Amino acid sequence: MSLFSIFTVAGSAMTAQNQRLNVVASNLANADSAMSSNGEPYKAKQVIFMSTQPEAGIHASGANGTHGVKVASVIEDQSPMKMVYEPSHPMANKEGFLTMPNVNVVEEMVDMISASRSYQNNVDMMNTAKTLLLKTLTIGQ
């Protein structure tokens, strides 16, 4: 792996983690919503990552190109919806239960911390690679 491909890998990871953070924010924002924009209870979403194809060509070492990461899809969580007993709510069913989103706030907060730390690690990796490249340029002076 060349030092320059680190920027490609870290950049793709930062883009994927940014999308993950957006999904977590959407889940948290809708955690207490009785109805989404389509008229049904909001369903939590999850991000699925996948490896990207290697860069074209073979490097001097003979190894194949580097892989990055991208968001393959954003899927709806299939866990059951929460049923809350609120007979006075206008959207409650005949038994007095209100269907609420299947968002687990604790899990979403953990996911948010994980995504933000991963993003920061990739920023640090890019800064380290930049520093190494700059120091490499000063070797001949």
Side-chain angles (χ1 to χ4, degrees), residues 84-93 95-98 100:
V84 179
Y85 184 70
E86 285 193 40
S88 62
H89 197 282
M91 295 177 62
N93 63 14
E95 293 83 29
F97 286 96
L98 178 63
M100 294 297 287

Side-chain angles (χ1 to χ4, degrees), residues 6-136:
I6 290 174
F7 295 108
T8 303
V9 173
S12 70
M14 289 169 61
T15 301
Q17 294 301 335
N18 184 39
Q19 190 166 354
R20 181 177 168 201
L21 282 168
N22 287 335
V23 168
V24 168
S26 178
N27 287 344
L28 288 172
N30 291 293
D32 291 327
S33 302
M35 185 185 306
S36 66
S37 60
N38 64 3
E40 296 179 9
Y42 178 82
K43 290 187 177 181
K45 303 200 177 9
Q46 296 175 337
V47 177
I48 306 297
F49 296 118
M50 70 177 283
S51 176
T52 60
Q53 293 297 320
E55 294 175 357
I58 295 180
H59 295 281
S61 65
N64 287 332
T66 57
H67 291 263
V69 66
K70 70 177 185 176
V71 173
S73 63
V74 177
I75 61 170
E76 287 185 349
D77 188 354
Q78 297 303 313
S79 62
M81 305 300 274
K82 295 178 188 172
M83 299 302 287
V84 179
Y85 184 70
E86 285 193 40
S88 62
H89 197 282
M91 295 177 62
N93 63 14
K94 294 175 189 174
E95 293 83 29
F97 286 96
L98 178 63
T99 305
M100 294 297 287
N102 59 349
V103 176
N104 184 328
V105 176
V106 174
E107 287 180 8
E108 294 299 326
M109 293 298 291
V110 169
D111 203 25
M112 180 183 65
I113 291 169
S114 173
S116 63
R117 286 189 178 164
S118 179
Y119 188 94
Q120 184 60 45
N121 286 339
N122 283 292
V123 169
D124 292 343
M125 184 172 53
M126 289 181 87
N127 285 333
T128 301
K130 180 182 85 171
T131 302
L132 288 172
L133 284 169
L134 291 173
K135 290 198 182 273
T136 301

